[in-house]
Amino acid sequence: MKFYTSPTSPYVRKVLVLLQETGQLDDVEMIMSGGTPLDPGSIPVHLNPLGKIPALEQSTGVTLYDSRVICRFFDDRAAAGLYSSGARQWELLTLEATADGILDAALLGVYEERVRPEDKRFAPWADGQWAKITRALDAVESRWMSHLSGPLNIGQIAMGCALGYLDLRYADNDWRKGRDALATWYKVFETRESMTSTIPVG
């Protein structure tokens, strides 16, 4: 299987963490790729027409995307149980979606600054993206902390990677302020080997 990856993508990191935690890292061939919404660059648009990574090209000729689909595939492949079952399954999927929503908003803010010409940037747009992030973080702090405890699950992996990306791109915004429980949880979670070996750079 060919896994199209990038060293700074938090969505890629989520899959890599899951691969390490489930012992499947050696089962994929890493192919570096990258681009932007304006220029897909080396992203395999012939495999993922949306022009996004990660993408997983299988020997069957079928390519899986996005990160949520790929994570679910590898969880099923290893029978890891990271998504649980019954009612909790839907709760963990919602927590994963919340973490990915944080990343969606964060990346839109980054693109506003890095891709859009300076004279066309719209500060309220960037502020609106950060508002989404803060609402989501507050919801995790108040309602989701119980899902971040106990055995490893997909919600923990997704949230850990989302918080790591905020540290990378929004360090000055101090997401930890007023969220002591979440900050305490992340301080421990980020020390896992799967997290320390996938810290994004650049």
Side-chain angles (χ1 to χ4, degrees):
M1 292 180 287
K2 296 180 180 180
F3 184 62
Y4 292 85
T5 178
S6 167
T8 58
S9 168
Y11 304 104
V12 166
R13 188 186 189 191
K14 184 173 66 163
V15 177
L16 292 178
V17 169
L18 188 148
L19 287 173
Q20 289 198 35
E21 294 284 356
T22 59
Q24 300 180 84
L25 191 60
D26 292 338
D27 295 343
V28 299
E29 175 188 354
M30 302 292 176
I31 300 179
M32 299 301 297
S33 58
T36 72
L38 299 182
D39 179 7
S42 58
I43 294 176
V45 293
H46 63 292
L47 299 175
N48 180 358
L50 298 176
K52 296 181 178 182
I53 50 175
L56 179 70
E57 184 181 8
Q58 302 179 86
S59 58
T60 59
V62 176
T63 299
L64 302 181
Y65 54 86
D66 58 9
S67 66
R68 274 179 276 189
V69 175
I70 297 171
C71 282
R72 192 65 181 267
F73 168 79
F74 280 118
D75 175 75
D76 182 73
R77 184 173 184 262
L82 295 175
Y83 288 83
S84 192
S85 60
R88 187 170 176 83
Q89 173 185 200
W90 305 113
E91 294 167 3
L92 290 176
L93 285 169
T94 300
L95 181 55
E96 181 187 14
T98 301
D100 280 6
I102 289 172
L103 290 178
D104 292 345
L107 280 166
L108 286 174
V110 169
Y111 286 147
E112 180 72 13
E113 180 179 341
R114 295 190 172 192
V115 178
R116 190 182 297 275
E118 186 173 359
D119 63 331
K120 293 181 173 61
R121 293 175 191 165
F122 187 52
W125 168 264
D127 292 342
Q129 301 312 314
W130 185 251
K132 295 178 188 177
I133 294 169
T134 58
R135 288 195 302 268
L137 292 174
D138 288 343
V140 175
E141 175 79 10
S142 63
R143 302 199 298 269
W144 290 99
M145 291 309 302
S146 64
H147 292 72
L148 295 180
S149 62
L152 184 68
N153 61 54
I154 190 60
Q156 295 174 18
I157 293 173
M159 190 56 61
C161 293
L163 297 178
Y165 190 74
L166 294 182
D167 280 345
L168 176 68
R169 297 296 188 219
Y170 293 87
D172 293 340
N173 288 32
D174 191 14
W175 66 262
R176 293 168 175 80
K177 185 176 181 180
R179 304 182 185 96
D180 294 342
L182 186 57
T184 298
W185 170 81
Y186 183 65
K187 186 175 181 180
V188 175
F189 189 81
E190 67 176 337
T191 64
R192 296 181 74 97
E193 183 178 353
S194 61
M195 290 290 289
T196 59
S197 64
T198 57
I199 294 175
V201 293

